[in-house]
Amino acid sequence: MTGTEKKILIIGLVWPEPTSSAAGTRMIQLVDLFLGKGYEITFASAASKSDFSYDFSATGVIEQEIKLNDESFNSFLKELNPAMVMFDRFMVEEQYGWRVQQECPDAFRILDTEDLHCLRSARQHSDKKQTQIDLFSDTAKREIASILRCDLSLIISEVEMKILAETFKIDSSLLYYLPFLENEITNKSITNWVPFEDRADFVFIGNFLHEPNWNTVQVLKTKLWPALRKKLPGVNLNIYGSYASQKVIQLENKTERFFIKGRAANAQQVISKHKILLAPIQFGAGVKGKFIDAMQVGTPSVTTSIGAEAMKGSLDWNGFIENDLDNFIEKAVLLYQDKAEWSLAQQNGVRIINERYSASHFANQFITTIEKLDLTAHRQQNFIGQILNHHTIQSTKYMSLWIEEKNRK
């Protein structure tokens, strides 16, 4: 792709907040990847900006405010005429995909799934109701339809790649495994890590708008910390996270050394001062940015199989993976007190980052794949997608036009 062919429009569900969530970090990694390959990027969103929205001003990225269910988006699309459009999560593709197809039928359509929403919601429902996981929900129907309508969907987890291929029978040509794109951990960065002796306390971090994080803090408060703090008197548990509501803040108990610290200006800096990251995650999907941050600063972790899912491959975890709460507590104590065990866990994290998340392993291959793809032949092989696009452009179009007309009155 050259010239106008390297023009990409990214439509965001929100303006990225890399200091608030892993999703924000992921989006900025993708933006940086395209910028580094000479792409001209326009980032558009109908959401309002917050004080924590990423500042694109120094990057060359053009920002564009857009409206939902409004024909002004069609005019904007026609004028921009991007060669590629990337949707930030399936809900955005539902809202804007038919307009992109109508105005820019030859644009390469990419869906950045972030994580499989249908998997996360199915696990959450299963955990809440204590029932078997049912993946075949209305959310799944919407999300899988969105994947089929797009030319390529970016998947961050190998487990999700397998579910899409085996459970939902999605052709592999429509899926692309692209994990977090990290800088490798060098010996120089390791020498700057805070040593074992200078660290103290446990930490958890996560955006509280994300239900799995809120649930994890409740597990820590009610099931884990009461027993763990008795085994390690004098040790604190510090909870960090953006968008902490009153229900989160009121969990703080200074007597129990359970502290709600709120938003971290720099997640890695905060995690680096603590001895261990505790994350007894009960449900969720995708890949957890908190563990990437922890490994990048040499902080071991104790989590569940859901927490560590798809992250380590065949490598050893940078700490322990325990689903039984009693075992979880024992391993947390061991890791907190045993420097040799802690140091081994730290080195495991280095291997995971360098072998499984190094940007140099994935970036060039991804760009080569999308630039060499024969879009016409690719779409002919995805006839189900063509059918869905044909019907969606009719149904979604007329619903959206009805809302447009309603808004005029």
Side-chain angles (χ1 to χ4, degrees):
M1 290 185 181
T2 56
T4 55
E5 289 184 338
K6 298 197 83 162
K7 191 186 285 186
I8 179 170
L9 168 65
I10 301 175
I11 309 175
L13 181 67
V14 295
W15 294 95
E17 293 186 18
T19 61
S20 301
S21 69
T25 300
R26 160 73 164 188
M27 180 54 74
I28 298 306
Q29 286 181 350
L30 292 174
V31 167
D32 287 344
L33 171 58
F34 283 115
L35 284 174
K37 299 298 178 182
Y39 280 77
E40 180 187 316
I41 302 175
T42 300
F43 193 101
S45 181
S48 300
K49 283 192 176 184
S50 78
D51 293 339
F52 306 101
S53 297
Y54 188 75
D55 182 7
F56 282 116
S57 60
T59 65
V61 172
I62 300 161
E63 297 183 10
Q64 178 70 42
E65 290 182 17
I66 53 176
K67 291 180 181 177
L68 263 176
N69 302 310
D70 195 285
E71 63 185 353
S72 62
F73 180 76
N74 295 56
S75 304
F76 158 67
L77 259 183
K78 266 188 223 173
E79 190 177 336
L80 183 66
N81 193 26
M84 197 180 300
V85 177
M86 185 164 78
F87 304 101
D88 170 26
R89 289 165 265 205
F90 80 90
M91 300 82 84
V92 169
E93 188 278 334
E94 285 182 330
Q95 292 160 344
Y96 299 99
W98 72 269
R99 294 180 189 266
V100 171
Q101 188 192 353
Q102 182 175 289
E103 305 299 344
C104 305
D106 298 327
F108 191 143
R109 296 193 295 273
I110 298 176
L111 174 63
D112 182 33
T113 57
E114 295 291 350
D115 60 37
L116 274 188
H117 291 67
C118 63
L119 177 60
R120 179 169 13 117
S121 63
R123 284 173 170 170
Q124 183 174 336
H125 185 267
S126 167
D127 183 77
K128 189 176 180 181
K129 303 288 186 183
Q130 291 299 297
T131 55
Q132 287 288 320
I133 291 175
D134 177 17
L135 286 175
F136 300 95
S137 62
D138 286 347
T139 301
K141 290 167 192 168
R142 290 171 57 197
E143 192 163 25
I144 299 304
S146 183
I147 287 171
L148 287 167
R149 284 193 297 265
C150 289
D151 299 310
L152 203 65
S153 290
L154 305 184
I155 312 298
I156 205 166
S157 156
E158 290 158 323
V159 168
E160 294 179 5
M161 288 285 283
K162 192 175 180 190
I163 289 170
L164 288 168
E166 295 180 3
T167 304
F168 293 110
K169 313 298 182 191
I170 304 295
D171 193 271
S172 61
S173 66
L174 298 177
L175 308 173
Y176 196 93
Y177 173 62
L178 193 68
F180 283 115
L181 303 170
E182 297 294 315
N183 294 324
E184 288 192 14
I185 299 173
T186 62
N187 288 331
K188 185 181 177 183
S189 55
I190 290 172
T191 59
N192 291 325
W193 285 349
V194 181
F196 179 85
E197 293 78 13
D198 294 341
R199 295 184 184 226
D201 302 331
F202 293 101
V203 65
F204 173 79
I205 190 165
N207 178 353
F208 288 110
L209 297 179
H210 193 53
E211 189 64 29
N213 288 328
W214 163 234
N215 176 265
T216 301
V217 171
Q218 290 174 288
V219 172
L220 283 167
K221 171 74 176 180
T222 61
K223 296 179 179 177
L224 266 169
W225 190 239
L228 183 52
R229 70 186 180 87
K230 287 175 185 172
K231 293 178 181 288
L232 294 169
V235 175
N236 301 324
L237 173 54
N238 296 316
I239 309 291
Y240 287 85
S242 51
Y243 300 106
S245 63
Q246 195 55 43
K247 69 181 181 182
V248 178
I249 294 165
Q250 69 187 15
L251 292 181
E252 176 163 291
N253 188 314
K254 292 181 172 63
T255 308
E256 295 174 356
R257 296 180 174 271
F258 189 94
F259 297 98
I260 306 295
K261 300 286 190 177
R263 177 184 291 271
N266 184 313
Q268 290 191 4
Q269 207 170 56
V270 161
I271 295 170
S272 72
K273 298 171 184 175
H274 292 79
K275 204 169 268 187
I276 296 165
L277 172 73
L278 291 182
I281 296 167
Q282 302 299 298
F283 55 83
V287 172
K288 317 298 182 292
K290 55 179 67 65
F291 299 121
I292 296 285
D293 284 335
M295 292 179 207
Q296 283 282 14
V297 295
T299 304
S301 60
V302 187
T303 188
T304 58
S305 53
I306 287 287
E309 181 178 85
M311 291 201 68
K312 69 183 185 68
S314 60
L315 302 176
D316 292 326
W317 187 243
N318 78 317
F320 293 104
I321 299 169
E322 290 289 350
N323 294 324
D324 178 83
L325 290 180
D326 290 333
N327 291 342
F328 192 105
I329 290 164
E330 292 303 321
K331 289 299 196 313
V333 173
L334 171 65
L335 206 51
Y336 198 90
Q337 295 179 325
D338 191 324
K339 184 180 177 180
E341 198 74 56
W342 187 89
S343 299
L344 178 63
Q346 197 177 59
Q347 289 308 307
N348 290 342
V350 174
R351 283 195 66 194
I352 292 171
I353 292 290
N354 291 352
E355 294 183 25
R356 290 182 54 78
Y357 297 96
S358 170
S360 61
H361 293 176
F362 298 97
N364 290 337
Q365 191 179 345
F366 169 60
I367 296 296
T368 300
T369 299
I370 61 175
E371 290 185 352
K372 288 191 172 178
L373 194 75
D374 181 337
L375 203 53
T376 304
H378 182 73
R379 286 180 176 173
Q380 283 174 348
Q381 289 175 346
N382 178 27
F383 193 66
I384 299 295
Q386 289 189 49
I387 294 170
L388 283 171
N389 273 312
H390 173 78
H391 287 287
T392 300
I393 204 168
Q394 304 306 321
S395 59
T396 317
K397 174 181 178 179
Y398 288 108
M399 170 60 81
S400 188
L401 290 174
W402 177 77
I403 295 170
E404 255 183 57
E405 197 59 38
K406 194 164 171 278
N407 289 341
R408 285 196 183 102
K409 293 174 181 176

